[in-house]
PDB file of all heavy atoms in Angstrom:
ATOM      1  N   SER A  82     -12.701  16.546   9.073  1.00 95.00           N
ATOM      2  CA  SER A  82     -11.754  16.692   7.963  1.00 95.00           C
ATOM      3  C   SER A  82     -11.518  15.348   7.272  1.00 95.00           C
ATOM      4  O   SER A  82     -11.488  15.274   6.036  1.00 95.00           O
ATOM      5  CB  SER A  82     -10.417  17.240   8.481  1.00 95.00           C
ATOM      6  OG  SER A  82     -10.578  18.524   9.032  1.00 95.00           O
ATOM      7  N   GLU A  83     -11.363  14.283   8.065  1.00 94.00           N
ATOM      8  CA  GLU A  83     -11.178  12.954   7.483  1.00 94.00           C
ATOM      9  C   GLU A  83     -12.396  12.552   6.656  1.00 94.00           C
ATOM     10  O   GLU A  83     -12.267  11.992   5.556  1.00 94.00           O
ATOM     11  CB  GLU A  83     -10.942  11.926   8.604  1.00 94.00           C
ATOM     12  CG  GLU A  83      -9.659  12.121   9.376  1.00 94.00           C
ATOM     13  CD  GLU A  83      -8.509  11.330   8.772  1.00 94.00           C
ATOM     14  OE1 GLU A  83      -8.679  10.774   7.675  1.00 94.00           O
ATOM     15  OE2 GLU A  83      -7.442  11.283   9.406  1.00 94.00           O
ATOM     16  N   PHE A  84     -13.585  12.822   7.186  1.00 95.00           N
ATOM     17  CA  PHE A  84     -14.818  12.467   6.480  1.00 95.00           C
ATOM     18  C   PHE A  84     -14.916  13.192   5.146  1.00 95.00           C
ATOM     19  O   PHE A  84     -15.216  12.586   4.106  1.00 95.00           O
ATOM     20  CB  PHE A  84     -16.023  12.798   7.367  1.00 95.00           C
ATOM     21  CG  PHE A  84     -17.349  12.687   6.657  1.00 95.00           C
ATOM     22  CD1 PHE A  84     -17.902  11.447   6.385  1.00 95.00           C
ATOM     23  CD2 PHE A  84     -18.029  13.835   6.259  1.00 95.00           C
ATOM     24  CE1 PHE A  84     -19.121  11.346   5.717  1.00 95.00           C
ATOM     25  CE2 PHE A  84     -19.238  13.743   5.594  1.00 95.00           C
ATOM     26  CZ  PHE A  84     -19.792  12.490   5.327  1.00 95.00           C
ATOM     27  N   PHE A  85     -14.635  14.480   5.148  1.00 95.00           N
ATOM     28  CA  PHE A  85     -14.772  15.244   3.911  1.00 95.00           C
ATOM     29  C   PHE A  85     -13.653  14.923   2.910  1.00 95.00           C
ATOM     30  O   PHE A  85     -13.837  15.105   1.706  1.00 95.00           O
ATOM     31  CB  PHE A  85     -14.814  16.747   4.203  1.00 95.00           C
ATOM     32  CG  PHE A  85     -16.176  17.223   4.604  1.00 95.00           C
ATOM     33  CD1 PHE A  85     -16.417  17.689   5.878  1.00 95.00           C
ATOM     34  CD2 PHE A  85     -17.230  17.189   3.702  1.00 95.00           C
ATOM     35  CE1 PHE A  85     -17.680  18.118   6.258  1.00 95.00           C
ATOM     36  CE2 PHE A  85     -18.497  17.615   4.070  1.00 95.00           C
ATOM     37  CZ  PHE A  85     -18.726  18.078   5.354  1.00 95.00           C
ATOM     38  N   GLU A  86     -12.514  14.448   3.390  1.00 94.00           N
ATOM     39  CA  GLU A  86     -11.491  13.958   2.456  1.00 94.00           C
ATOM     40  C   GLU A  86     -12.009  12.767   1.672  1.00 94.00           C
ATOM     41  O   GLU A  86     -11.815  12.656   0.457  1.00 94.00           O
ATOM     42  CB  GLU A  86     -10.211  13.581   3.214  1.00 94.00           C
ATOM     43  CG  GLU A  86      -9.266  14.740   3.432  1.00 94.00           C
ATOM     44  CD  GLU A  86      -7.907  14.278   3.922  1.00 94.00           C
ATOM     45  OE1 GLU A  86      -7.548  13.116   3.671  1.00 94.00           O
ATOM     46  OE2 GLU A  86      -7.207  15.085   4.553  1.00 94.00           O
ATOM     47  N   LEU A  87     -12.699  11.854   2.373  1.00 95.00           N
ATOM     48  CA  LEU A  87     -13.305  10.711   1.690  1.00 95.00           C
ATOM     49  C   LEU A  87     -14.383  11.159   0.714  1.00 95.00           C
ATOM     50  O   LEU A  87     -14.474  10.664  -0.416  1.00 95.00           O
ATOM     51  CB  LEU A  87     -13.904   9.749   2.720  1.00 95.00           C
ATOM     52  CG  LEU A  87     -12.939   8.883   3.522  1.00 95.00           C
ATOM     53  CD1 LEU A  87     -13.693   8.107   4.594  1.00 95.00           C
ATOM     54  CD2 LEU A  87     -12.187   7.922   2.617  1.00 95.00           C
ATOM     55  N   VAL A  88     -15.211  12.100   1.154  1.00 96.00           N
ATOM     56  CA  VAL A  88     -16.296  12.592   0.293  1.00 96.00           C
ATOM     57  C   VAL A  88     -15.724  13.301  -0.930  1.00 96.00           C
ATOM     58  O   VAL A  88     -16.223  13.140  -2.056  1.00 96.00           O
ATOM     59  CB  VAL A  88     -17.229  13.525   1.089  1.00 96.00           C
ATOM     60  CG1 VAL A  88     -18.257  14.179   0.159  1.00 96.00           C
ATOM     61  CG2 VAL A  88     -17.937  12.753   2.194  1.00 96.00           C
ATOM     62  N   GLN A  89     -14.669  14.091  -0.732  1.00 94.00           N
ATOM     63  CA  GLN A  89     -14.042  14.789  -1.861  1.00 94.00           C
ATOM     64  C   GLN A  89     -13.512  13.811  -2.894  1.00 94.00           C
ATOM     65  O   GLN A  89     -13.709  13.998  -4.092  1.00 94.00           O
ATOM     66  CB  GLN A  89     -12.896  15.675  -1.360  1.00 94.00           C
ATOM     67  CG  GLN A  89     -13.325  17.039  -0.869  1.00 94.00           C
ATOM     68  CD  GLN A  89     -12.129  17.931  -0.589  1.00 94.00           C
ATOM     69  OE1 GLN A  89     -11.011  17.643  -1.015  1.00 94.00           O
ATOM     70  NE2 GLN A  89     -12.354  19.007   0.131  1.00 94.00           N
ATOM     71  N   LEU A  90     -12.823  12.782  -2.428  1.00 93.00           N
ATOM     72  CA  LEU A  90     -12.297  11.777  -3.344  1.00 93.00           C
ATOM     73  C   LEU A  90     -13.416  11.118  -4.134  1.00 93.00           C
ATOM     74  O   LEU A  90     -13.341  10.966  -5.361  1.00 93.00           O
ATOM     75  CB  LEU A  90     -11.505  10.730  -2.557  1.00 93.00           C
ATOM     76  CG  LEU A  90     -10.969   9.531  -3.350  1.00 93.00           C
ATOM     77  CD1 LEU A  90     -10.033  10.000  -4.463  1.00 93.00           C
ATOM     78  CD2 LEU A  90     -10.261   8.557  -2.439  1.00 93.00           C
ATOM     79  N   LEU A  91     -14.489  10.745  -3.426  1.00 94.00           N
ATOM     80  CA  LEU A  91     -15.629  10.114  -4.082  1.00 94.00           C
ATOM     81  C   LEU A  91     -16.273  11.070  -5.077  1.00 94.00           C
ATOM     82  O   LEU A  91     -16.628  10.679  -6.200  1.00 94.00           O
ATOM     83  CB  LEU A  91     -16.646   9.684  -3.012  1.00 94.00           C
ATOM     84  CG  LEU A  91     -17.622   8.575  -3.373  1.00 94.00           C
ATOM     85  CD1 LEU A  91     -16.885   7.292  -3.707  1.00 94.00           C
ATOM     86  CD2 LEU A  91     -18.608   8.352  -2.227  1.00 94.00           C
ATOM     87  N   PHE A  92     -16.417  12.334  -4.686  1.00 94.00           N
ATOM     88  CA  PHE A  92     -17.048  13.326  -5.559  1.00 94.00           C
ATOM     89  C   PHE A  92     -16.234  13.539  -6.839  1.00 94.00           C
ATOM     90  O   PHE A  92     -16.793  13.571  -7.941  1.00 94.00           O
ATOM     91  CB  PHE A  92     -17.198  14.654  -4.811  1.00 94.00           C
ATOM     92  CG  PHE A  92     -17.640  15.787  -5.686  1.00 94.00           C
ATOM     93  CD1 PHE A  92     -18.965  15.941  -6.049  1.00 94.00           C
ATOM     94  CD2 PHE A  92     -16.714  16.717  -6.168  1.00 94.00           C
ATOM     95  CE1 PHE A  92     -19.368  16.985  -6.871  1.00 94.00           C
ATOM     96  CE2 PHE A  92     -17.100  17.750  -6.984  1.00 94.00           C
ATOM     97  CZ  PHE A  92     -18.434  17.893  -7.343  1.00 94.00           C
ATOM     98  N   VAL A  93     -14.920  13.699  -6.693  1.00 93.00           N
ATOM     99  CA  VAL A  93     -14.077  13.944  -7.867  1.00 93.00           C
ATOM    100  C   VAL A  93     -14.163  12.783  -8.850  1.00 93.00           C
ATOM    101  O   VAL A  93     -14.292  12.981 -10.065  1.00 93.00           O
ATOM    102  CB  VAL A  93     -12.613  14.199  -7.436  1.00 93.00           C
ATOM    103  CG1 VAL A  93     -11.688  14.207  -8.653  1.00 93.00           C
ATOM    104  CG2 VAL A  93     -12.497  15.516  -6.688  1.00 93.00           C
ATOM    105  N   VAL A  94     -14.117  11.554  -8.345  1.00 94.00           N
ATOM    106  CA  VAL A  94     -14.165  10.380  -9.220  1.00 94.00           C
ATOM    107  C   VAL A  94     -15.516  10.280  -9.924  1.00 94.00           C
ATOM    108  O   VAL A  94     -15.598  10.111 -11.150  1.00 94.00           O
ATOM    109  CB  VAL A  94     -13.872   9.096  -8.411  1.00 94.00           C
ATOM    110  CG1 VAL A  94     -14.133   7.856  -9.267  1.00 94.00           C
ATOM    111  CG2 VAL A  94     -12.436   9.101  -7.911  1.00 94.00           C
ATOM    112  N   ILE A  95     -16.611  10.402  -9.150  1.00 94.00           N
ATOM    113  CA  ILE A  95     -17.951  10.256  -9.735  1.00 94.00           C
ATOM    114  C   ILE A  95     -18.260  11.403 -10.690  1.00 94.00           C
ATOM    115  O   ILE A  95     -18.767  11.190 -11.802  1.00 94.00           O
ATOM    116  CB  ILE A  95     -19.008  10.184  -8.612  1.00 94.00           C
ATOM    117  CG1 ILE A  95     -18.824   8.896  -7.804  1.00 94.00           C
ATOM    118  CG2 ILE A  95     -20.419  10.253  -9.189  1.00 94.00           C
ATOM    119  CD1 ILE A  95     -19.743   8.789  -6.608  1.00 94.00           C
ATOM    120  N   PHE A  96     -17.937  12.622 -10.287  1.00 94.00           N
ATOM    121  CA  PHE A  96     -18.258  13.786 -11.112  1.00 94.00           C
ATOM    122  C   PHE A  96     -17.453  13.778 -12.414  1.00 94.00           C
ATOM    123  O   PHE A  96     -17.977  14.100 -13.488  1.00 94.00           O
ATOM    124  CB  PHE A  96     -17.986  15.062 -10.319  1.00 94.00           C
ATOM    125  CG  PHE A  96     -18.501  16.312 -10.982  1.00 94.00           C
ATOM    126  CD1 PHE A  96     -19.791  16.381 -11.468  1.00 94.00           C
ATOM    127  CD2 PHE A  96     -17.681  17.426 -11.122  1.00 94.00           C
ATOM    128  CE1 PHE A  96     -20.271  17.537 -12.077  1.00 94.00           C
ATOM    129  CE2 PHE A  96     -18.144  18.572 -11.730  1.00 94.00           C
ATOM    130  CZ  PHE A  96     -19.446  18.633 -12.203  1.00 94.00           C
ATOM    131  N   THR A  97     -16.178  13.387 -12.336  1.00 93.00           N
ATOM    132  CA  THR A  97     -15.361  13.320 -13.553  1.00 93.00           C
ATOM    133  C   THR A  97     -15.874  12.240 -14.501  1.00 93.00           C
ATOM    134  O   THR A  97     -15.946  12.444 -15.717  1.00 93.00           O
ATOM    135  CB  THR A  97     -13.891  13.032 -13.182  1.00 93.00           C
ATOM    136  OG1 THR A  97     -13.425  14.038 -12.280  1.00 93.00           O
ATOM    137  CG2 THR A  97     -13.016  13.018 -14.425  1.00 93.00           C
ATOM    138  N   THR A  98     -16.244  11.084 -13.935  1.00 94.00           N
ATOM    139  CA  THR A  98     -16.814  10.009 -14.762  1.00 94.00           C
ATOM    140  C   THR A  98     -18.101  10.472 -15.438  1.00 94.00           C
ATOM    141  O   THR A  98     -18.336  10.185 -16.621  1.00 94.00           O
ATOM    142  CB  THR A  98     -17.094   8.772 -13.893  1.00 94.00           C
ATOM    143  OG1 THR A  98     -15.887   8.383 -13.223  1.00 94.00           O
ATOM    144  CG2 THR A  98     -17.588   7.615 -14.734  1.00 94.00           C
ATOM    145  N   PHE A  99     -18.907  11.203 -14.694  1.00 94.00           N
ATOM    146  CA  PHE A  99     -20.151  11.737 -15.260  1.00 94.00           C
ATOM    147  C   PHE A  99     -19.876  12.718 -16.401  1.00 94.00           C
ATOM    148  O   PHE A  99     -20.510  12.648 -17.468  1.00 94.00           O
ATOM    149  CB  PHE A  99     -20.952  12.425 -14.145  1.00 94.00           C
ATOM    150  CG  PHE A  99     -22.123  13.229 -14.631  1.00 94.00           C
ATOM    151  CD1 PHE A  99     -23.316  12.611 -14.982  1.00 94.00           C
ATOM    152  CD2 PHE A  99     -22.029  14.615 -14.754  1.00 94.00           C
ATOM    153  CE1 PHE A  99     -24.391  13.353 -15.434  1.00 94.00           C
ATOM    154  CE2 PHE A  99     -23.092  15.360 -15.198  1.00 94.00           C
ATOM    155  CZ  PHE A  99     -24.279  14.731 -15.545  1.00 94.00           C
ATOM    156  N   LEU A 100     -18.917  13.614 -16.215  1.00 93.00           N
ATOM    157  CA  LEU A 100     -18.617  14.605 -17.256  1.00 93.00           C
ATOM    158  C   LEU A 100     -18.061  13.952 -18.518  1.00 93.00           C
ATOM    159  O   LEU A 100     -18.329  14.407 -19.633  1.00 93.00           O
ATOM    160  CB  LEU A 100     -17.600  15.618 -16.719  1.00 93.00           C
ATOM    161  CG  LEU A 100     -18.087  16.556 -15.610  1.00 93.00           C
ATOM    162  CD1 LEU A 100     -16.943  17.436 -15.115  1.00 93.00           C
ATOM    163  CD2 LEU A 100     -19.236  17.427 -16.097  1.00 93.00           C
ATOM    164  N   VAL A 101     -17.300  12.876 -18.351  1.00 92.00           N
ATOM    165  CA  VAL A 101     -16.685  12.229 -19.510  1.00 92.00           C
ATOM    166  C   VAL A 101     -17.680  11.365 -20.275  1.00 92.00           C
ATOM    167  O   VAL A 101     -17.655  11.321 -21.514  1.00 92.00           O
ATOM    168  CB  VAL A 101     -15.474  11.378 -19.047  1.00 92.00           C
ATOM    169  CG1 VAL A 101     -14.943  10.531 -20.197  1.00 92.00           C
ATOM    170  CG2 VAL A 101     -14.371  12.272 -18.509  1.00 92.00           C
TER     171      VAL A 101
END
Side-chain angles (χ1 to χ4, degrees):
S82 297
E83 294 269 9
F84 170 75
F85 278 113
E86 274 192 24
L87 285 174
V88 173
Q89 276 189 15
L90 175 59
L91 203 61
F92 171 79
V93 170
V94 171
I95 293 175
F96 190 49
T97 303
T98 304
F99 169 79
L100 292 176
V101 172

